[in-house]
Amino acid sequence: AIPSTVSLVMEDEFKQTKISGTGFIIGKGKVATSLHVVEGSNFGYAFIADDATQHKIEGYYSIDFDNHIVILSVPTITEPTPLKLSYYGEPDIGKRVYAIGHKRGVTGGVSRGII
């Protein structure tokens, strides 16, 4: 999953960094992220791990307010292989889960938690 993880930098109307977050490549030019990462931002860029190339976020394909997810349009992202998504139902309370991201600039960080 780490090769499909991107860092997101969102900017305000003055092109000042407003928030940074993490997303996942789910298809050619498509990045999924949490809605709060992009809310209220005017501009944004995605960075693939270990690559300084700025990939401009052009807009979004869809927003799911109920699940707090947005699918971003980032046309210049064509590699690496998208994250494979599957659904096996919701995890049970007490199950161990893992989150992959770029928290506070640490590339490919993994956090462990329990539902």
Side-chain angles (χ1 to χ4, degrees), residues 22 30 46 65 102:
T22 303
K30 294 181 180 179
F65 290 101
H102 301 304

Side-chain angles (χ1 to χ4, degrees), residues 89-102:
E90 295 183 17
D92 296 326
I93 293 175
K95 284 285 189 179
R96 190 173 302 262
V97 294
Y98 298 89
I100 299 172
H102 301 304

Side-chain angles (χ1 to χ4, degrees), residues 17-83:
T17 299
K18 180 178 177 182
I19 190 172
S20 60
T22 303
F24 296 94
I25 300 167
I26 60 167
K28 184 177 179 182
K30 294 181 180 179
V31 172
T33 191
S34 297
L35 185 57
H36 73 269
V37 172
V38 299
E39 262 180 336
S41 297
N42 297 80
F43 307 98
Y45 296 91
F47 297 89
I48 298 172
D50 301 323
D51 183 354
T53 304
Q54 285 188 348
H55 297 275
K56 183 179 179 186
I57 298 170
E58 297 287 341
Y60 63 91
Y61 286 101
S62 63
I63 298 174
D64 182 337
F65 290 101
D66 292 334
N67 292 300
H68 198 73
I69 295 173
V70 60
I71 308 300
L72 302 173
S73 172
V74 191
T76 57
I77 291 183
T78 57
E79 304 266 342
T81 305
L83 180 68

